[in-house]
Amino acid sequence: MPKSLHNDICDKFRFSRVYEKYAQSLSNILLYKYGDLLNPSDKVQEAFIKLWENCSKVSPEAVKSFLYTTANNLMLNEVKHQKVVFKYQEVKPKDYTNESPEFILRKKEFSKRYERALSNLREDERAAFLLSKVDGKTHKEIGEILGITKKIAEHRIYAALNKLKNELEELNKK
């Protein structure tokens, strides 16, 4: 391979010649590969900006590779970004409810009573119950976490459940 006469392309004249040589073909390749929706010409411009910012680091022999790799990576990043945007647009939070105001009020009241009933439990029963029902832990896992046997964990969970049923009549319905 012949040795380059210049060490970099930081000269405006050399840089403009590189732009004239590669810009159109790079833009066409990105257009063919990714389509027009992701603005391939913008990515080509960004690639040339990155080349100018790194002109002293990029040898003249590596310019084409640098440009094509940079532009392609910019397009791939844009594709990833668009996927996130589309995914977010698909999941729109509901700003309405089919629940009646009476139901919402009853739910809030029940929640308050449930919290109060939970706070009335002994600490060891509450911990075992919440590990089981909220965290979905097995009796064996609860025993290991709390440093008790599986049977004691079961007993605490069922004792807590019985106390909650006594305080909250909604839990007794089937």
Side-chain angles (χ1 to χ4, degrees), residues 133-149:
K133 302 304 180 193
V134 175
D135 293 341
K137 302 285 186 196
T138 65
H139 295 167
K140 182 179 178 184
E141 291 173 327
I142 294 169
E144 291 171 359
I145 292 170
L146 298 178
I148 56 178
T149 66

Side-chain angles (χ1 to χ4, degrees), residues 83-122:
K83 285 182 181 179
V84 170
V85 168
F86 290 139
K87 186 174 182 180
Y88 177 74
Q89 288 175 343
E90 288 175 6
V91 182
K92 291 184 179 177
K94 282 189 352 182
D95 58 348
Y96 63 90
T97 179
N98 293 335
E99 299 169 345
S100 69
E102 179 187 352
F103 177 79
I104 293 171
L105 180 63
R106 286 179 54 212
K107 189 165 82 170
K108 285 181 184 176
E109 289 173 355
F110 175 78
S111 181
K112 287 178 187 175
R113 289 187 298 123
Y114 177 71
E115 291 292 329
R116 194 174 325 114
L118 275 177
S119 65
N120 290 338
L121 294 175
R122 290 192 344 236

Side-chain angles (χ1 to χ4, degrees), residues 4-9 14 18 22 55 58-64:
S4 175
L5 296 174
H6 308 287
N7 291 335
D8 57 44
I9 55 159
R14 269 186 249 128
V18 167
Y22 296 118
C55 67
V58 179
S59 68
E61 296 82 25
V63 167
K64 182 178 179 181

